[in-house]
Amino acid sequence: MAGKKTVFVDSDILVIGGGFGGCGAAYESRYWGRDKKVVVVEKANIERSGAVAQGLYAINCYMGMRWGENEPEDYVRYQRNDLMGLVREDLGYDIGRHVDSTVHKFEEWGLPIMTDPDTGRYQREGKWQIMIHGESYKPIVAEAARKAADAVYNRIMVTHLLMDKKQPNRVAGAVGFNVRSGDFYVFQSKAVIVAAGGASHIFKPHSAGEGMGRTWYAPWSSASAYALPIRVGAKMTQMENRIVLTRFKDGYGPVGAYFLHLKTYTQNGYGEPYEPTWRQSIEDMVGDYVNHEPVPTCLRNHAFLKEVEAGRGPIRMVTKEAFKDPHKEIVGWENFLGMTIGQAVVWAANNIDPKEVNPELVMSEPYVMGSHATCSGAWASGPEDYAPDEYQWGYNRMMTVDGLFGAGDTLGGTPHKFSSGSFTEGRLAGKAANKYVDDLGTNTPEISEEEYLELKEQIYQPLETYRVGRNEITAGTVSPTYLLPLSGLQRLEKIMDEYCGGVGQRYMVNEPLMTRGIELLKMLKEDLKNLGADGLHQLQRAWELHHRVLASECVTAHTMFREETRWPGYYYRGDHPKLDDKNWHCFTLSQYDERTGEFEMEKAPVYHLVDDVKQAAE
Amino acid sequence: MPTFVYMTSCDGCGHCVDICPSDIMHIDPVTRRAVNIEPNFCWECYSCVKACPQNAIDARGYADFAPMGHSVRVLREEDKGTISWRLKFRDGREKHFESPIRTTAWGSIKCASEYEIPSNEAINSQELAHEPDYLKTDQGLPSVTVDHFIKYELAPASAAKKKSKKVSAQAAE
Ligand SMILES: Cc1cc2nc3c(=O)[nH]c(=O)nc-3n(C[C@H](O)[C@H](O)[C@H](O)COP(=O)(O)OP(=O)(O)OC[C@H]3O[C@@H](n4cnc5c(N)ncnc54)[C@H](O)[C@@H]3O)c2cc1C
Ligand code: SF4
Ligand code: SF4
């Protein structure tokens, strides 16, 4: 694509992805760095981009310290319990102590937060969640970010990070292309904050036809947050910790408000409770963890799955009683209209009125992300004032690559951040990046012309491949020389589903399966060189696929490395069916070597807050 | 439900193209009107529906699981600060909902740079912008010390040989 213009953009702090983490990063970078040039680059339009495009009905991470509701320590315990013991407690504490100031700022900006008429406090949905009228949550937060940044570049798909040509292991910027004009963009920056969201469409979704886009996490969550750092050798953690969710059938409507606020509950296809049935089998697998309060998300999934396997599905949410209360009925519907409109559509289409019918639930396909009840992502340095040495090598939220920061779904080890925690983590990264830039002085990174020109060639290759290949065939989508992005995506989803624990295998994996999976992924990765794109939109799809494939390789390498079943209900190692604290009460870390295509795996220790440590493994 | 566009209402203004997070609303070069070019990548997020000044976009439940005959319509009014919904079931029943969307004027957010320049002391502290005030407690920013953290010791054998193994496509061949 010699004809495409190259645009150079210089900055002090470059934020990749203008979602919740990215908006927080932009705001805080500006607050602390008045003299800095802060640039945000976003593949869609920051007004409605990311996982919060359609809004949210709750803020799922709020301490309420001002009312003595929770302290950061309580939050850390909650994270740890839910994730079966393995979280970065230093990072979690940090989110907990700052997140309230974020939420108070959101309220000041104009986000309607519901209040409890009796207490005057924010209306709680559950212990950690508060209820909002969040249709415009994203545009409101985007307004603050737009004002804070020197420039927001919308519709630029970032494809690769650039490394410093003088100093190894130091980031120097990023490249990408404008999805509208096709122009090639070279961003040079002293610090880079990756906040590019999580990953859907790594595993095959339930619906593979027109409805394949109606996944739980947004179809545009394309794993860039992982692929960008992985490629340049940043260490990743807990990538095996994919999440599977209990959701309303077909629409993936969330169940949180239903369980917590509406007090609905589940039963099997015969109207019976089923969780107690599986308690003993869970204890056999995970021991004492079954006694955690609340019961970890994955273990509740496990009971659901076993009950369905036993032939007593479908599992239903009992809504008939709660929906008799008109207030609850409104909450039930608005909950979807505010964040998962598709669920309201599915119910309207099927004549499902939860007042009269108890709607079906389903167990979703796995997702890879770092901000929900799961914590896949990059390995990051902890807060300076207390993080143990093994968790601290520089600036807060900096990855193992100098100058490369992350926030939200991008960073691993910190589950249950959700929207407010992701924004808060962006703020932490923004402040730390500002400090990093100050400390650089004149020792600033430099991009290499050779590197970005080579990447430019790679980036536009699918257009050329298609142009040439297209002339060999009469018409249609079948070509012997090129692979369309959609075909490649479907191949990826099938491989991951069948060989890495998707729905089709009832979330079951073992070493032989994954060994074969890795071979298949390798051939897919080779075939990506033959991706063909008929235009800029498909070129975006092509690079999203590249990112998903690299992230999938990483997920598989991690899943293979952890020889235990830590989170039954998320996935099972058939060859290591039990939780094994003696050997695996630790983080898994990987580091990718682009030259060899290998992931080097290691263990990293888990530190617990001292007052509730269980010293020895049973 | 993927979106579709009514021929007679769309004037080709491109607002939907501009907003769609999935980049699938495009202007058709022949009709000069908007079209969803990739329904299977539509999240039914309604961003385009809300943004269309002509109310030309509607959605129909995904063909592979939604029976026909329903509709979910929306009207988002920024000046009034509300969003209203009308749901029509397949059997004709209707439900209506309305919610607030914002409590302040659009564009009223104070820029991060309009606040007093933070001191060096603040820059070197653990506090974020507007803290500790915005925590709204009298306690200041909570903290712990490093000795509050204790390492979980793995079984000696497992911990001693810092298990490192290569997992790669090459190795699997
Ligand atoms: C259905 C649903 C319900 C949820 N419910 C709640 C809830 O009730 N309460 C709550 O608090 N949280 C909820 N969440 C979680 C919350 O949305 C996420 O935790 C949060 O958005 C994560 O922030 P992030 O910045 O990591 O990712 P995102 O907000 O998704 O932002 C990522 C951004 O990066 C951009 N991007 C991606 N790749 C690239 C690239 N290559 N180049 C340039 N830009 C790129 C994307 O376009 C996007 O704007 C929900 C999420 C979903 C999907
Ligand atoms: S916003 Fe509405 S009127 Fe404008 S192009 Fe899109 S569908 Fe047509
Ligand atoms: S509903 Fe959302 S994803 Fe679908 S076309 Fe409209 S803006 Fe795009």
Side-chain angles (χ1 to χ4, degrees):
Chain A
M1 288 280 295
K4 293 295 176 199
K5 208 168 68 185
T6 299
V7 182
F8 293 92
V9 180
D10 248 318
S11 57
D12 295 300
I13 299 176
L14 176 69
V15 181
I16 300 176
F20 264 64
C23 287
Y27 186 83
E28 208 75 8
S29 297
R30 166 58 65 239
Y31 182 87
W32 298 101
R34 302 296 163 93
D35 54 337
K36 304 288 187 303
K37 187 168 179 208
V38 180
V39 167
V40 179
V41 50
E42 163 60 52
K43 74 172 174 179
N45 182 334
I46 189 172
E47 283 298 298
R48 289 276 181 194
S49 67
V52 191
Q54 54 186 321
L56 292 179
Y57 197 69
I59 290 176
N60 283 354
C61 179
Y62 178 72
M63 302 298 115
M65 288 190 283
R66 66 164 146 164
W67 297 305
E69 293 176 331
N70 297 291
E71 294 301 322
E73 286 89 343
D74 304 320
Y75 172 63
V76 168
R77 265 174 226 127
Y78 165 62
Q79 290 180 305
R80 178 205 301 146
N81 283 352
D82 197 48
L83 271 291
M84 309 293 282
L86 311 185
V87 291
R88 277 283 298 275
E89 302 195 2
D90 61 323
L91 299 179
Y93 185 92
D94 206 22
I95 298 288
R97 65 175 168 169
H98 293 290
V99 73
D100 284 8
S101 77
T102 293
V103 173
H104 298 151
K105 209 66 196 166
F106 289 167
E107 184 177 32
E108 179 186 293
W109 288 343
L111 178 69
I113 302 182
M114 298 182 209
T115 48
D116 181 327
D118 297 332
T119 61
R121 301 177 182 177
Y122 293 158
Q123 175 67 54
R124 280 287 179 189
E125 178 182 294
K127 188 166 167 57
W128 306 101
Q129 302 82 353
I130 56 174
M131 296 168 73
I132 60 174
H133 289 292
E135 189 279 334
S136 293
Y137 196 6
K138 185 67 212 287
I140 291 169
V141 165
E143 182 183 317
R146 256 194 289 107
K147 288 183 173 173
D150 288 272
V152 175
Y153 289 86
N154 284 325
R155 298 290 170 197
I156 293 179
M157 168 84 195
V158 174
T159 55
H160 304 78
L161 295 173
L162 293 174
M163 297 300 277
D164 184 11
K165 82 175 179 202
K166 299 178 295 192
Q167 196 172 307
N169 198 40
R170 186 164 82 167
V171 76
V175 291
F177 63 95
N178 187 307
V179 181
R180 297 273 182 265
S181 68
D183 290 343
F184 180 59
Y185 274 75
V186 179
F187 296 93
Q188 170 156 327
S189 191
K190 293 173 188 157
V192 174
I193 302 173
V194 178
S200 61
H201 286 285
I202 286 216
F203 290 86
K204 187 161 95 187
H206 277 288
S207 182
E210 192 180 81
M212 71 177 271
R214 175 91 292 275
T215 40
W216 166 68
Y217 224 48
W220 43 84
S221 299
S222 54
S224 303
Y226 310 120
L228 293 171
I230 289 171
R231 195 187 69 93
V232 297
K235 287 191 182 174
M236 305 299 288
T237 191
Q238 303 297 91
M239 292 297 284
E240 70 279 20
N241 183 208
R242 78 289 296 276
I243 185 171
V244 169
L245 306 104
T246 303
R247 285 293 177 268
F248 285 106
K249 188 157 188 304
D250 294 334
Y252 294 87
V255 295
Y258 280 72
F259 279 130
L260 299 167
H261 187 73
L262 307 180
K263 307 281 186 238
T264 59
Y265 53 91
T266 55
Q267 53 183 216
N268 71 14
Y270 299 94
E272 303 150 350
Y274 60 90
E275 288 191 355
T277 314
W278 302 102
R279 201 188 165 287
Q280 188 57 49
S281 87
I282 295 174
E283 190 167 345
D284 294 344
M285 295 173 88
V286 303
D288 200 33
Y289 288 89
V290 74
N291 298 318
H292 285 174
E293 251 328 302
V295 179
T297 309
C298 63
L299 301 184
R300 298 193 65 183
N301 284 357
H302 175 79
F304 185 127
L305 287 169
K306 295 311 269 184
E307 189 69 9
V308 172
E309 268 169 29
R312 291 190 290 270
I315 305 298
R316 294 180 186 277
M317 185 74 94
V318 181
T319 51
K320 285 202 258 187
E321 298 154 28
F323 272 61
K324 295 278 180 313
D325 172 348
H327 162 74
K328 289 190 171 173
E329 184 186 12
I330 290 172
V331 170
W333 282 100
E334 287 188 347
N335 182 55
F336 292 151
L337 296 171
M339 63 178 164
T340 314
I341 302 154
Q343 188 65 53
V345 177
V346 169
W347 283 358
N350 285 285
N351 293 329
I352 293 174
D353 185 338
K355 225 174 1 200
E356 290 150 18
V357 182
N358 292 330
E360 257 178 86
L361 296 168
V362 77
M363 203 55 76
S364 82
E365 54 284 342
Y367 294 84
V368 179
M369 46 101 69
S371 67
H372 209 271
T374 175
C375 58
S376 303
W379 186 240
S381 188
E384 291 84 1
D385 54 338
Y386 60 77
D389 284 349
E390 279 166 294
Y391 293 168
Q392 197 172 156
W393 52 89
Y395 302 81
N396 201 356
R397 267 61 181 188
M398 191 171 87
M399 304 183 201
T400 58
V401 169
D402 286 348
L404 184 59
F405 295 78
D409 284 328
T410 306
L411 289 192
T414 47
H416 294 282
K417 289 179 283 208
F418 295 99
S419 59
S420 48
S422 295
F423 188 93
T424 302
E425 197 161 54
R427 295 176 66 195
L428 290 163
K431 183 176 183 190
N434 180 66
K435 184 108 193 345
Y436 170 85
V437 171
D438 282 341
D439 292 351
L440 278 181
T442 53
N443 175 21
T444 53
E446 227 177 282
I447 54 174
S448 130
E449 189 179 6
E450 193 190 338
E451 187 185 16
Y452 70 72
L453 287 180
E454 196 186 309
L455 290 172
K456 183 179 183 186
E457 192 131 322
Q458 283 179 35
I459 290 169
Y460 294 103
Q461 184 59 44
L463 294 173
E464 186 60 14
T465 304
Y466 181 86
R467 198 184 56 78
V468 174
R470 179 64 193 80
N471 288 326
E472 295 172 2
I473 55 172
T474 53
T477 54
V478 188
S479 153
T481 49
Y482 62 76
L483 181 72
L484 295 177
L486 180 63
S487 310
L489 180 70
Q490 287 171 333
R491 195 160 125 204
L492 171 69
E493 293 182 347
K494 188 166 150 64
I495 295 170
M496 293 301 283
D497 181 64
E498 293 172 356
Y499 295 96
C500 201
V503 172
Q505 289 288 328
R506 305 299 294 169
Y507 315 101
M508 184 62 74
V509 291
N510 64 22
E511 186 160 341
L513 275 168
M514 286 186 284
T515 304
R516 178 63 183 149
I518 288 169
E519 288 169 6
L520 291 168
L521 285 172
K522 185 189 168 222
M523 287 189 272
L524 173 57
K525 200 168 164 191
E526 286 167 3
D527 286 354
L528 295 186
K529 297 194 181 72
N530 304 318
L531 277 173
D534 68 358
L536 293 167
H537 173 71
Q538 286 302 320
L539 190 63
Q540 177 177 343
R541 293 286 182 256
W543 283 99
E544 289 173 342
L545 179 61
H546 270 283
H547 290 174
R548 285 184 163 113
V549 170
L550 186 55
S552 300
E553 282 193 311
C554 186
V555 167
T556 312
H558 275 258
T559 311
M560 185 93 133
F561 183 58
R562 183 180 287 285
E563 294 175 337
E564 65 160 349
T565 297
R566 171 67 48 171
W567 308 276
Y570 286 175
Y571 74 94
Y572 303 86
R573 282 282 308 242
D575 43 357
H576 301 282
K578 291 190 176 178
L579 183 144
D580 173 8
D581 263 341
K582 275 201 186 72
N583 297 299
W584 291 101
H585 195 104
C586 63
F587 296 109
T588 56
L589 301 191
S590 67
Q591 189 174 23
Y592 181 63
D593 182 339
E594 207 198 1
R595 285 169 305 115
T596 62
E598 290 188 4
F599 288 88
E600 174 121 4
M601 305 298 306
E602 63 180 300
K603 295 179 176 183
V606 172
Y607 280 82
H608 292 299
L609 272 175
V610 77
D611 54 338
D612 28 40
V613 143
K614 263 202 337 187
Q615 289 263 6
E618 287 109 282
Chain B
M1 76 188 65
T3 54
F4 63 91
V5 179
Y6 285 109
M7 188 71 164
T8 49
S9 310
C10 172
D11 66 7
C13 72
H15 281 63
C16 55
V17 180
D18 203 38
I19 203 70
C20 174
S22 203
D23 188 39
I24 58 180
M25 292 305 283
H26 282 215
I27 300 293
D28 185 279
V30 177
T31 64
R32 303 226 161 234
R33 287 170 173 85
V35 60
N36 182 338
I37 59 162
E38 225 175 30
N40 57 353
F41 266 92
C42 178
W43 204 37
E44 57 204 23
C45 72
Y46 272 65
S47 299
C48 58
V49 182
K50 291 167 185 172
C52 175
Q54 308 299 334
N55 298 315
I57 313 178
D58 204 345
R60 148 343 236 112
Y62 296 105
D64 45 349
F65 54 74
M68 296 175 80
H70 56 275
S71 95
V72 173
R73 300 286 282 173
V74 64
L75 188 63
R76 182 174 181 272
E77 293 169 289
E78 282 204 350
D79 42 336
K80 273 175 67 185
T82 57
I83 186 140
S84 13
W85 298 90
R86 196 185 71 214
L87 277 65
K88 201 168 129 272
F89 281 47
R90 178 177 162 91
D91 62 14
R93 274 178 291 172
E94 283 199 17
K95 290 187 189 288
H96 301 257
F97 300 96
E98 188 179 281
S99 309
I101 59 176
R102 187 164 178 173
T103 61
T104 57
W106 290 91
S108 65
I109 293 174
K110 193 165 152 182
C111 178
S113 61
E114 289 174 51
Y115 294 88
E116 206 178 308
I117 295 179
S119 65
N120 265 339
E121 196 195 340
I123 290 178
N124 292 316
S125 78
Q126 293 297 320
E127 284 163 10
L128 291 178
H130 322 301
E131 287 178 350
D133 296 358
Y134 269 69
L135 294 171
K136 303 195 179 181
T137 66
D138 302 328
Q139 263 101 72
L141 183 71
S143 191
V144 286
T145 54
V146 66
D147 41 80
H148 281 83
F149 290 86
I150 183 163
K151 191 170 176 169
Y152 189 103
E153 298 294 348
L154 296 179
S158 168
K161 81 168 168 8
K162 193 181 170 197
K163 194 168 177 178
S164 177
K165 94 174 176 194
K166 289 201 161 123
V167 180
S168 72
Q170 276 80 359
E173 273 171 352

